[in-house]
Amino acid sequence: MAGGGRAGISGALRPMFAVFVGGRTDPPVPRPRRRLRIGPVHLADAVEPALALILAISGYAQLQSPHPESGGPASPIFLTVVAFGGVVPLLLRGSRPLVAWRVALGMMLFASVVLHPRAAYGVPYLPTLGITYLLCLYSLAVRCERTVTAGATVVSAIGCVLLDPPTKAFALLCAVPLLLGYTVRLRRTARQALAEQEARHEAETAVLQERQRIARELHDVVAHHMSVIAIQAEAAPYKVTDPPPELAESFADIRASALEGLTELRRILGVLRTDPSAQTAPQPGLERLEEVVASARAGGLEVETSVTGDPPVLPGGVGLSAYRILQESLSNAMRHAPGASVRVEIGYEPDVLRLRVHNGPGAEPVRVVRAGGGHGLVGMRERATMLGGELGAGPTADGGFVVLAALPLERNAPEERDS
C-alpha cells in the first residue's frame, strides 16, 4: 500500500519535475522554402521580433504610470529592463520553447510582486507580459511532450488562483493556447506517423517492383538455356550409332521436361508482365558497353572507360545485371551531375566481375538517388544481391558519387555464400 502511494506521488510530481528541470522538446517543423518569403528573408522570422518590439514599447509606456502601492513610479532604467526583458521569451520560443516559458513565468511573477500592477490596471499582471506568457504556452504545448504540457497547465492554474483569486479569468485565457497547441501537436504527430508509414510502404513497393522487373528480364535468359537443353536433348540420340532404347528414352524425358519448363516460364511471365506491350527483345549484356557509353556522352557526360583482365563468356544473369547497373549509374550521373566527367572501370578476375563508376561534381550538386519508380540504388542492390554479390554507393570527397559492384562469376555463388 505504501509502495502504491509513493508511486502515485511520484507520478503526480513527474509533470512538475519535467516542466521545471527536464522535459523533451521536439525540433521545429521545417518552414516552406518558397511561401512567405520576401527575397532571402522568411516572413515568420520577422514577425516575432516585430511583435516583441511592439510589446516592449507598449509595456514601457504602461509602466511609466505611477504605482501608489509601490510608493511612486519606478526608475526608468528599471522599467526599461522589465519592459524589454519581458519580451525576451518571444525571441526564445522558436528555438527553446520550454526555456521561454520558464522565463515568461518568472517575469510575470517578478513584475506582479515588485510593481503591484493591480493598482494601475486592475489585474495582478502586466498585460504585455500576459500576452507573452500565452504565446509561450502555445509554443510549449506544440513542441513539448505531454508530461511537460501537463506540468505547465498545473503551474498556470495554481498561479492564476494565487494571483487572481476573485475571478480566475487568466486561467481561462491560459486554457486556450494550451488546448490549441496540444491539438496542433496531435495533428503533426499523426501526419508524421502517416508520412513514415507511407515512406516504408513506398520503399517496400519499390523493392517489389524492382524484383518483378528483374524477374521479367531474367525470363529471357532462363528461357534461352531451357531451349538449348531441349534442342540438345532432341539431337543427342542422333549423334550415337544405334543408341540403346534406354538412352533415347532418357533424352526424350529431358526434352519433355525442358519444354514443360518453358511452358511454365511463359505462364509466370504472363503473371509478371503488367504491360502487354512491353518489349521482348533479347536482354543486353556488357558486349553493349560502347553503346551505353555513347548514349551517356550524347547526354553531355565525359565518359572514360577502362577494362582490365580477359573478358570471359559471362553467365546471362551476370552480364544483364552488370549492364543494368552501369546503365543506371550513368543515367543518375546525367540526371544529378550534368556535364560531369565519369570514369567507368570494369575488371575481369577469375571468380568475380568488378564494376566501378565514379563521376565528379557537375553543374548541380550530386544527390543520392531516390529509391522510387523501379530505378536507382534499390534496383542495383537487388541485382547484386540476387547473384550473391555486393554493391556500395555514396558521395566522394571531391563532391562526386561512386558506385562499386562485385558480381561473382560462379553459377552457384549464392548457394556457396549462404552455406
Side-chain angles (χ1 to χ4, degrees), residues 52 55-56 63 77-92 100 103-104 106-108 110 129 132:
L55 291 178
L63 290 172
I77 297 178
F78 176 75
L79 297 182
T80 301
V81 172
V82 173
F84 283 85
V87 298
V88 169
L90 287 179
L91 305 178
L92 294 175
V103 175
M107 290 300 298
M108 281 195 65
F110 174 77
L129 297 183
T132 300

Side-chain angles (χ1 to χ4, degrees), residues 282-346:
Q283 297 300 333
L286 284 184
E287 68 277 358
R288 295 173 58 180
L289 172 63
E290 292 302 325
E291 178 181 333
V292 70
V293 169
S295 176
R297 288 171 178 161
L301 295 179
E302 298 179 4
V303 184
E304 179 185 356
T305 60
S306 173
V307 179
T308 59
D310 296 327
V313 178
L314 295 177
V318 175
L320 173 60
S321 296
Y323 177 85
R324 292 302 187 194
I325 292 173
L326 173 61
Q327 184 183 47
E328 190 65 38
S329 300
L330 293 175
S331 298
N332 291 331
M334 286 189 287
R335 187 181 306 118
H336 301 295
S341 59
V342 182
R343 180 170 178 80
V344 177
E345 299 177 4
I346 301 176

Side-chain angles (χ1 to χ4, degrees), residues 104-297:
L105 176 65
M107 290 300 298
M108 281 195 65
L109 295 177
F110 174 77
S112 299
V113 172
V114 174
L115 298 178
H116 306 285
R118 184 183 293 276
Y121 315 112
V123 289
Y125 43 80
L126 295 176
T128 55
L129 297 183
I131 295 174
T132 300
Y133 184 79
L134 293 176
L135 292 174
C136 292
L137 267 182
Y138 171 79
S139 297
L140 179 143
V142 171
R143 297 269 305 282
C144 295
E145 55 190 354
R146 183 169 51 186
T147 305
V148 175
T149 304
T153 303
V154 173
V155 172
S156 299
I158 294 175
C160 292
V161 171
L162 295 179
L163 292 178
D164 197 10
T167 62
K168 307 179 184 62
F170 196 66
L172 298 178
L173 292 177
C174 290
V176 175
L178 283 170
L179 292 176
L180 181 60
Y182 186 65
T183 302
V184 172
R185 176 178 174 82
L186 289 180
R187 291 188 61 185
R188 287 182 179 176
T189 303
R191 283 201 301 264
Q192 182 180 2
L194 179 61
E196 293 175 353
Q197 184 177 0
E198 289 178 348
R200 289 194 298 267
H201 176 70
E202 289 179 0
E204 294 173 356
T205 302
V207 171
L208 293 177
Q209 289 178 346
E210 194 61 36
R211 289 178 178 176
Q212 186 182 58
R213 181 186 177 206
I214 294 172
R216 290 197 303 266
E217 292 180 351
L218 287 178
H219 164 270
D220 294 341
V221 177
V222 178
H224 169 72
H225 291 298
M226 296 291 289
S227 300
V228 171
I229 292 174
I231 294 173
Q232 290 178 343
E234 184 178 9
Y238 298 99
K239 297 181 180 180
V240 180
T241 304
D242 297 329
E246 295 82 2
L247 181 62
E249 184 178 354
S250 297
F251 279 115
D253 292 341
I254 294 175
R255 180 178 180 276
S257 298
L259 293 177
E260 183 179 355
L262 277 173
T263 302
E264 297 299 328
L265 277 176
R266 293 190 185 97
R267 291 175 182 172
I268 294 175
L269 181 63
V271 174
L272 294 177
R273 194 179 299 280
T274 56
D275 184 8
S277 62
Q279 296 293 329
T280 57
Q283 297 300 333
L286 284 184
E287 68 277 358
R288 295 173 58 180
L289 172 63
E290 292 302 325
E291 178 181 333
V292 70
V293 169
S295 176
R297 288 171 178 161

